[in-house]
Amino acid sequence: MAQKPSLQIAALATSAVRGLEIVATRAPQFATTDYRYCGLLDARGRHWIAQAALHPAASTALDAEVPILDQLDIALREDRIGFDVMRPEGTTELPTGHRMVVYRELPGKPLELATLHAGPGPAAELGRAIAEIHELPAALLDAAHAPVYDADSYRRRRLAELDDAARTSKVPPILLARWERALEDVALWHFHAVPTHGDLAAENVHLSNGTVAAILNWSNAHVGDPAADLAWLYAAAPEESLDTIDEAYAMGRSLPPDEHMGARATLYSELAVARWLLHGVRLDDQEIIADAEVMLHALARQVADSGPIGRAELVVEEIDWVEASAGSSWSVSGTLSPLSPDDDARLPSAPGTSPVGSPGDGMDVTDEIPAVGNATDGAGSPRTPGTESAGSPRTPGTPGTAGTPGSAGTPQ
């Protein structure tokens, strides 16, 4: 696929879907660290997307996503969720031996975080949609053979990630100590495990007429900590939209608010930078490794005067990650996988976002990485979804979505 990859992908798509007659390629046309995306137009005027894996881990993730999507389609038909999901209509093997999947283009356009505001509208719809995911029965993902974790096993996997990051000798000691303290603070780790997307980011959420029309890229879905699906919003969403998101989310949940959710979301946001480093190490990509080092040192400077996660008031501080990382960005969708540190089979996506209009996983060097911010309310405890936060600074974050490791993935 060295020359005219879109034409070669179009030809392969016709063999993947019986009777499909492609007449033209169209947007989106881009590649990330994990996948190449190619928009297609068929003879009946229908729009398709071909998603081709670029390495074995991405190929494995595509295969793992198919049974998850089958279960989500059942949930959609049972009115458990109100947004659409991808339905693979054909798969094929690329000349490289990697997997390609072909599906109908989903409705809506990727979320632009800057458009979120307080009150009825996209922010409330987003909180509601995330609550719908977390209200799904755990058996749904179990039936799809997705990972299932309880609170303690989830915490231990994050500790294993921290150990892997420490062994690189590239993480500033202040961050290692900060993260280890939070991971060993057992008070923070009492939560009810629920189905989670595992890689939510702006490019994975499509809006149409102010509502959540579709949610993409479910390869990192698992049963785990709901805080992982909210971290990207606490880190990067406009401050004025957070109360609305929290309230809509709390109204959609059957369980009472988790007072430590904000603290764990802060941790996940920061750990996402370390996971970006590990992603580079696993791929032996020196550019990613160097990029992650810059981000880690920037984060270390930011939190130098902050108290422990979940235990003291933190200060919101804006960091221009694009400048800090020499203009590179990362995506939280599909490659820097939340797998166990020693299992590369389903490596989740790395920091960055896909361009607007793309179905997006992986890294796109043209995308901007949002600022990092950590904060707690006046009482010194992290913001909790569904609780009053008037006058308090926003919670957690490190590079937030739409171009950050904010979604932080989760251990798979």
Side-chain angles (χ1 to χ4, degrees):
M1 274 195 252
Q3 295 182 342
K4 297 185 182 295
S6 61
L7 295 180
Q8 295 183 21
I9 287 178
L12 288 168
T14 61
S15 65
V17 181
R18 179 179 299 179
L20 181 61
E21 182 182 352
I22 300 299
V23 297
T25 60
R26 60 184 301 277
Q29 296 285 335
F30 71 98
T32 70
T33 54
D34 311 310
Y35 304 102
R36 179 174 293 281
Y37 292 91
C38 180
L40 305 169
L41 179 67
D42 74 9
R44 296 168 57 186
R46 298 176 301 179
H47 295 168
W48 300 76
I49 301 291
Q51 181 179 350
L54 298 178
H55 54 76
S59 185
T60 301
L62 276 183
D63 285 337
E65 187 176 13
V66 172
I68 294 172
L69 293 170
D70 288 342
Q71 291 297 313
L72 289 169
D73 187 46
I74 294 173
L76 177 60
R77 287 187 274 112
E78 293 177 345
D79 291 326
R80 293 179 179 271
I81 53 177
F83 50 83
D84 206 353
V85 295
M86 185 179 86
R87 295 175 186 80
E89 297 200 25
T91 63
T92 190
E93 189 174 286
L94 301 166
T96 58
H98 303 146
R99 180 69 63 190
M100 185 178 85
V101 63
V102 182
Y103 53 92
R104 292 285 296 277
E105 187 174 48
L106 291 172
K109 297 295 181 183
L111 167 68
E112 295 181 28
L113 282 172
T115 65
L116 295 179
H117 54 76
E125 292 298 312
L126 185 56
R128 177 195 57 76
I130 296 174
E132 286 182 348
I133 296 172
H134 296 172
E135 287 293 304
L136 290 171
L140 182 148
L141 289 185
D142 190 31
H145 307 293
V148 176
Y149 307 108
D150 59 20
D152 186 57
S153 63
Y154 196 91
R155 182 184 69 87
R156 286 187 281 107
R157 282 180 174 269
R158 289 302 176 117
L159 272 169
E161 285 183 341
L162 179 59
D163 289 343
D164 276 4
R167 279 193 286 271
T168 68
S169 301
K170 298 181 182 297
V171 181
I174 187 174
L175 295 180
L176 293 175
R178 174 180 171 83
W179 297 339
E180 183 177 22
R181 178 177 299 176
L183 284 164
E184 292 183 347
D185 185 350
V186 294
L188 303 181
W189 296 92
H190 298 293
F191 64 83
H192 180 71
V194 299
T196 61
H197 179 280
D199 197 17
L200 280 178
E203 69 273 13
N204 290 338
V205 178
H206 280 201
L207 296 186
S208 178
N209 298 320
T211 64
V212 177
I215 295 181
L216 293 67
N217 296 321
W218 291 84
S219 62
N220 293 326
H222 62 282
V223 175
D225 189 352
D229 279 350
L230 291 165
W232 63 290
L233 291 169
Y234 293 166
E239 179 71 29
E240 63 271 18
S241 70
L242 294 180
D243 283 345
T244 296
I245 293 170
D246 287 351
E247 290 165 7
Y249 175 79
M251 289 181 63
R253 292 300 314 277
S254 57
L255 296 176
D258 172 357
E259 63 177 318
H260 298 299
M261 184 177 287
R264 297 195 307 277
T266 299
L267 176 64
Y268 299 151
S269 293
E270 295 182 7
L271 280 174
V273 191
R275 301 182 82 238
W276 183 224
L277 170 67
L278 292 175
H279 182 56
V281 170
R282 287 168 181 149
L283 295 181
D284 193 25
D285 188 318
Q286 295 304 311
E287 184 176 351
I288 292 177
I289 292 172
D291 186 48
E293 285 190 81
V294 171
M295 292 181 178
L296 286 165
H297 285 284
L299 178 59
R301 291 193 297 272
Q302 179 199 332
V303 304
D305 297 324
S306 301
I309 293 174
R311 295 298 178 186
E313 182 170 346
L314 304 180
V315 179
V316 178
E317 182 176 346
E318 295 294 321
I319 291 182
D320 186 343
W321 285 99
V322 176
E323 178 179 345
S325 60
S328 61
S329 64
W330 32 339
S331 136
V332 283
S333 29
T335 307
L336 175 62
S337 156
L339 293 189
S340 68
D342 55 349
D343 181 3
D344 283 345
R346 290 182 51 196
L347 191 64
S349 12
T353 56
S354 306
V356 172
S358 73
D361 254 88
M363 182 174 73
D364 185 294
V365 295
T366 65
D367 294 333
E368 176 175 304
I369 297 178
V372 174
N374 289 303
T376 62
D377 59 28
S381 62
R383 174 194 186 94
T384 301
T387 61
E388 180 58 48
S389 61
S392 65
R394 73 196 288 177
T395 328
T398 78
T401 107
T404 109
S407 104
T410 54
Q412 301 272 336

